[in-house]
Amino acid sequence: MASDTAARLETNLLLKALRGPDRDLLLPHLEPLNCGKGATIFEAGSPVTHITFPCEHAVVTLVITTSDGRSAETATIGHEGAVGGVVSQGYVPASTHAVVQIAGPMLRMDSFALQEAKRQSRHVRDLFARYSDCMLAQVLQSSACNALHPIDQRCLRWLQTLHDRIGSPVLPITHELLAAMLGVQRTYLTRILRILQDQGLIKVGRGRITILNRLGMEAASCDCHARVRDHYRTVLGAVYDDHGLIAIDQPQPRFMATDPEAEARRRVDSWAGKGSGSRVDP
């Protein structure tokens, strides 16, 4: 069990960013679990007792559901992060529904154990504060995108976000699920996907969408995803390559780089030299 936990820790970039004594503060409290597609991590209104860390290609989505039964995605979390009471003190009620969109291995720990680790280590406290800031940026940008941009651009934003987190151009997502995440009718979304396919950006298959032209997707979409990416780079030290998010390289206290693009290239080159390991396809 301990060896399995340590191995999984290496596949969650947020945990992997911790070093030495800081990692040791969390490791004894982490327990492995496997979550199937559609599983609930926590429900809106229920106490959040644990922090859950998706590993490898697992993905969790935070969803808001209205009183009339409609729902929409507010944030997508993969191997770069965590869901649960990352900032809060104790078992506070959840404001969203957290559901597993792509099945896979995860780690979890008691919320109070994380608070104690943050109390003992400035580095743990700083890392999770930076991650929380990035999560908030994703939620706010998603809210603005949902309110201001047309469905085709919102769809492209969501597909890019998922691509970054699983590192594979083949996205195991159905029309029905994507429509629910975007808060639109399935028939309407199907027409949008057909247009994007005709443009050579994606290929639609049964239970999956394959990205054919990532650069073309970025050019055709709004800048919401790019803004969130840049925030993750600047605040959290996220490292991206052509396949997505590959590492978290904690920035120094003077984290504001004078040349963000040059800093991003430096981080990619640094992690390429170290060898980022093989990606896990769904």
Side-chain angles (χ1 to χ4, degrees):
M1 184 70 72
S3 60
D4 184 29
T5 299
R8 290 192 184 190
L9 185 149
E10 295 295 326
T11 65
N12 177 277
L13 303 183
L14 192 65
L15 294 174
K16 188 177 180 180
L18 294 171
R19 297 290 182 266
D22 297 319
R23 180 179 292 196
D24 293 341
L25 288 173
L26 272 60
L27 188 58
H29 303 285
L30 292 168
E31 56 177 312
L33 67 157
N34 294 300
C35 295
K37 182 178 179 180
T40 295
I41 303 298
F42 52 77
E43 295 181 348
S46 63
V48 180
T49 60
H50 290 81
I51 316 298
T52 302
F53 302 87
C55 300
E56 297 180 13
H57 58 274
V59 174
V60 175
T61 300
L62 301 184
V63 178
I64 295 288
T65 302
T66 60
S67 57
D68 61 2
R70 293 184 298 172
S71 61
E73 165 264 354
T74 61
T76 300
I77 302 95
H79 69 319
E80 85 292 347
V83 294
V86 177
V87 177
S88 59
Q89 304 290 327
Y91 296 179
V92 300
S95 60
T96 62
H97 181 68
V99 60
V100 177
Q101 296 297 359
I102 298 180
M106 302 191 189
L107 291 168
R108 73 173 186 175
M109 66 184 299
D110 187 274
S111 298
F112 285 116
L114 177 61
Q115 298 310 317
E116 178 60 21
K118 290 196 291 185
R119 187 190 67 80
Q120 295 184 45
S121 170
R122 176 178 63 84
H123 297 291
V124 174
R125 186 165 60 251
D126 180 69
L127 177 65
F128 279 87
R130 291 176 188 272
Y131 172 70
S132 299
D133 184 273
C134 290
M135 271 288 295
L136 179 60
Q138 183 184 167
V139 170
L140 294 176
Q141 196 72 48
S142 175
S143 299
C145 187
N146 289 341
L148 300 174
H149 295 144
I151 183 60
D152 57 332
Q153 293 188 338
R154 291 166 52 200
C155 181
L156 288 172
R157 171 185 60 81
W158 201 90
L159 294 176
Q160 289 175 81
T161 299
L162 188 58
H163 181 215
D164 280 351
R165 279 149 182 78
I166 69 173
S168 168
V170 181
L171 311 180
I173 188 81
T174 64
H175 291 201
E176 182 178 8
L177 183 56
L178 182 54
M181 292 300 98
L182 297 173
V184 298
Q185 294 293 324
R186 177 180 174 178
T187 53
Y188 181 34
L189 176 68
T190 298
R191 292 198 299 270
I192 297 298
L193 291 176
R194 188 177 300 117
I195 292 172
L196 298 177
Q197 180 170 260
D198 291 343
Q199 293 173 347
L201 301 177
I202 63 173
K203 179 181 179 181
V204 180
R206 182 179 295 275
R208 63 182 56 200
I209 296 173
T210 302
I211 292 178
L212 301 179
N213 185 351
R214 175 61 188 257
L215 291 179
M217 291 175 64
E218 293 173 358
S221 65
C222 56
D223 66 348
C224 289
H225 179 67
R227 285 174 178 265
V228 173
R229 254 195 173 205
D230 287 344
H231 198 75
Y232 270 73
R233 284 192 183 104
T234 304
V235 176
L236 192 60
V239 182
Y240 296 86
D241 66 6
D242 293 341
H243 301 290
L245 210 165
I246 61 170
I248 291 174
D249 185 13
Q250 284 194 77
Q252 298 301 314
R254 54 167 189 81
F255 67 90
M256 294 297 290
T258 55
D259 186 345
E261 291 187 2
E263 178 65 11
R265 289 194 298 270
R266 181 197 68 77
R267 286 184 176 138
V268 170
D269 292 342
S270 173
W271 281 89
K274 295 176 183 178
S276 56
S278 58
R279 307 288 299 183
V280 179
D281 291 336

